[in-house]
Amino acid sequence: MKLLKNLTLIGPGFVVAATGLGAGDLVAAAVSGASLGGQIIWAVVFGALIKLALNEGLARWQLSTGTSILQGWQQHLPRWVNSYFLIYLLLWGFLVGAALMAACGLAANALFPQLSINSWAVLHSLLAVLLVLFGRYSVFESAMKVLILLMFTTVMAALASLDLSGINLQQTLLADTGMQSHDNMVLAVIGGVGGSVTLLCYGYWMREKAWHSSAALPLARVDLIVAYTITALFGIGIMLLAAKAAPATIQGNQVLVAMADELGRTLSPVFREVFLLGVWAAVFSSMLGVWQGVPYLFADIMAARSKSKQRAAADQNSWAYRSFLGYLALPPMLLLLLGKPVWLVMLYAVTGAFFMPFLALTLLYLNNRIITKAHRFGIGSNILIILALIVFGFLSLQSLFN
């Protein structure tokens, strides 16, 4: 009975999971499934596990200290840390904002081709702004739960209708592939499951849920376990569907439309629409989560830079929150028309390469040295965070030198 009661209380984990499952994660799972079948299902599970560990570390810090992770950086790390993160956040928001608009536009256009991809992209961005500005957190959370349920059930329905015999499920590790392209797929799947910057939003969604003390940590763990289990199952579902329905020659977001077309031919035309509806739910929930959650990060940084003796809380009514929401929703529309400048992409890669290893390092420091002994990491948590550091450190070097 206690578990059932907890399941009715959870919610921020669903929000962070739905936000983290963007178009890039779907494409990485689809491309790897088309090329390798089910050989690297383990990578989906491993990716979800280390993101769960990172998110639990963030929750542990905030619920034990009463401060956000950004406040922890400000108080216990050199001053340049928040400046670096601010630069990265501005680049991340600009490029990810454009990518999410394009993905929403593509999914909606595949369902309703009467409007162009760019028109749908703009409409989705403006709709997300309205939902954020005029909806309470409870409405936002409910909408995200509906979207994650929709994307999960549509993928599972398509999967249940396919004959999955013949899919290669022999597990492939990095050293066994013998091909760098396959290694890159494994790393892309591990790195893509569950988001990056959006992990930091979990703390603000916990606050909206009125989880303020360490007494809420067990509930947060249940919340995150349920959410990342769904994330892993969804990623596995996409990978297995792609093994049967995705052409190996198609890359990028178009692979998802190609999968839908193949499902329509293999099963029935209705499955094309059902799958596309699930894809749309996945990418729009990611946009909605980014539009609602990421401005909190900017507002928190601006509050830390305030000269006022009383530190203002990051909230939706602050000028900083609303300014960054506008920054996410409007300027990236230019990239839909002009494309992504090479210099901007390179700068984003350089600044972003260090973020996940940096997050893992700071959690190891803050949660082993700063918080009270009763709430510090145990052996299992430390092992998982160190694994996250190794994996994302390798990914960082790969993105810089490839």
Side-chain angles (χ1 to χ4, degrees):
M1 290 297 293
K2 186 177 180 180
L3 178 59
L4 290 175
K5 183 181 178 182
N6 285 346
L7 290 176
T8 65
L9 295 175
I10 62 179
F14 285 98
V15 176
V16 79
T19 302
L21 276 171
D25 308 324
L26 302 186
V27 169
V31 170
S32 61
S35 302
L36 299 175
Q39 295 179 68
I40 58 171
I41 282 176
W42 67 269
V44 177
V45 177
F46 180 66
L49 186 61
I50 59 175
K51 293 291 178 71
L52 168 62
L54 289 169
N55 236 148
E56 192 274 347
L58 291 165
R60 182 191 296 262
W61 168 263
Q62 180 161 317
L63 294 175
S64 300
T65 65
T67 61
S68 69
I69 191 68
L70 268 66
Q71 291 172 289
W73 294 347
Q74 182 199 15
Q75 294 169 9
H76 302 287
L77 299 178
R79 294 188 62 174
W80 61 263
V81 167
N82 274 6
S83 297
Y84 149 70
F85 182 68
L86 176 59
I87 293 170
Y88 173 54
L89 186 65
L90 291 170
L91 291 167
W92 185 92
F94 196 58
L95 290 176
V96 170
L100 287 171
M101 289 182 205
C104 286
L106 181 68
N109 174 262
L111 284 166
F112 303 103
Q114 293 84 355
L115 284 180
S116 68
I117 291 176
N118 284 353
S119 296
W120 276 122
V122 170
L123 285 174
H124 277 77
S125 180
L126 297 179
L127 175 60
V129 169
L130 292 175
L131 289 172
V132 170
L133 288 178
F134 298 106
R136 301 184 308 276
Y137 172 78
S138 58
V139 175
F140 162 69
E141 184 185 288
S142 297
M144 294 293 275
K145 285 180 177 178
V146 169
L147 289 169
I148 198 170
L149 180 64
L150 183 61
M151 70 188 202
F152 183 77
T153 53
T154 52
V155 167
M156 292 302 122
L159 199 60
S161 302
L162 276 178
D163 177 10
L164 299 180
S165 61
I167 294 179
N168 186 1
L169 295 176
Q170 181 182 352
Q171 301 297 287
T172 297
L173 297 174
L174 285 172
D176 296 331
T177 62
M179 294 179 63
Q180 185 180 7
S181 61
H182 288 181
D183 293 355
N184 291 343
M185 286 181 193
V186 171
L187 293 170
V189 169
I190 293 173
V193 174
S196 56
V197 169
T198 54
L199 293 178
L200 304 184
C201 300
Y202 187 71
Y204 306 97
W205 292 325
M206 285 196 304
R207 191 184 65 189
E208 293 282 3
K209 202 74 172 174
W211 297 352
H212 296 304
S213 70
S214 57
L217 186 55
L219 184 57
R221 289 195 183 109
V222 172
D223 183 44
L224 290 168
I225 289 169
V226 172
Y228 280 100
T229 299
I230 292 174
T231 298
L233 290 173
F234 183 77
I236 291 169
I238 290 289
M239 190 174 289
L240 293 178
L241 281 179
K244 279 292 186 178
T249 56
I250 297 180
Q251 303 291 315
N253 291 346
Q254 291 291 341
V255 72
L256 300 173
V257 178
M259 283 175 63
D261 291 339
E262 182 61 27
L263 287 171
R265 286 190 292 269
T266 305
L267 299 175
S268 96
V270 71
F271 274 95
R272 178 186 186 274
E273 313 304 317
V274 166
F275 180 74
L276 285 174
L277 190 62
V279 170
W280 171 83
V283 293
F284 184 59
S285 65
S286 187
M287 172 186 277
L288 186 56
V290 168
W291 267 223
Q292 202 276 351
V294 173
Y296 278 124
L297 302 175
F298 182 74
D300 212 358
I301 293 173
M302 290 299 102
R305 290 169 171 259
S306 173
K307 295 181 180 179
S308 171
K309 292 182 180 180
Q310 177 114 25
R311 192 184 194 282
D315 65 72
Q316 287 184 287
N317 295 319
S318 67
W319 69 267
Y321 182 97
R322 291 173 179 253
S323 296
F324 202 80
L325 175 59
Y327 175 77
L328 287 169
L330 298 175
M333 291 178 185
L334 294 173
L335 294 185
L336 298 176
L337 301 174
L338 304 177
K340 298 176 183 177
V342 173
W343 67 269
L344 185 62
V345 175
M346 290 179 64
L347 184 59
Y348 169 75
V350 171
T351 54
F354 303 105
F355 173 69
M356 292 302 284
F358 166 76
L359 176 60
L361 272 174
T362 56
L363 286 174
L364 285 170
Y365 173 68
L366 295 174
N367 287 349
N368 282 305
R369 299 290 300 275
I370 304 301
I371 63 174
T372 58
K373 288 185 178 180
H375 299 116
R376 290 180 182 176
F377 278 150
I379 294 175
S381 294
N382 275 316
I383 289 173
L384 286 173
I385 300 296
I386 291 170
L387 283 173
L389 176 62
I390 293 170
V391 168
F392 292 118
F394 189 86
L395 282 168
S396 301
L397 294 175
Q398 184 186 56
S399 67
L400 288 176
F401 296 110
N402 276 4

